[in-house]
Amino acid sequence: MWGDLNEARQSAINGQWSIRCDNLEARIKSLTQVVGPTPWDEIQIPLLELGIYQRHAELCIDVPEVQPDMERVAKLRADLERQAAAARR
C-alpha cells in the first residue's frame, strides 16, 4: 500500500496529493490497526523525507518504535543519487 501511495503522489497534480492518496491513506490506517505498522526501512524514501510515514501518530496509531532514522534515510538518498549520476555518465 505504501508503494501505491508513493505512486499516487507522483502521479498527482504537481506531485503532491490527490483523492486517490486520501483513499490509500485511509486504507493504510485501517490495515495498520489490524496488522501493525510497516517497518520504516520498507517505505519509499520520499514518503519518509516528507514526513508522510511519520504521520502514523496523527492516525491515532502508537508507533514510537518505527520512527525512521533520518540520518540513514539521508545516506540512502545520497547513495541513490550517486548511483543515478554514475549511470548517466
Side-chain angles (χ1 to χ4, degrees), residues 60-80:
C60 303
I61 300 166
D62 185 24
V63 291
E65 70 281 357
V66 297
Q67 292 304 312
D69 176 347
M70 293 310 290
E71 287 181 27
R72 186 169 160 206
V73 171
K75 183 182 180 322
L76 289 170
R77 168 62 77 190
D79 291 345
L80 289 173

Side-chain angles (χ1 to χ4, degrees), residues 2-18 20-22 24 44-50 52 55 77:
W2 287 101
D4 293 342
L5 179 59
N6 190 51
E7 289 177 17
R9 271 195 63 259
Q10 291 174 347
S11 65
I13 296 174
N14 296 325
Q16 296 299 315
W17 205 257
S18 66
R20 182 172 175 229
C21 295
D22 284 338
L24 287 165
Q44 293 72 24
I45 291 174
L47 299 177
L48 296 169
E49 291 173 330
L50 295 170
I52 293 169
R55 287 187 3 210
R77 168 62 77 190

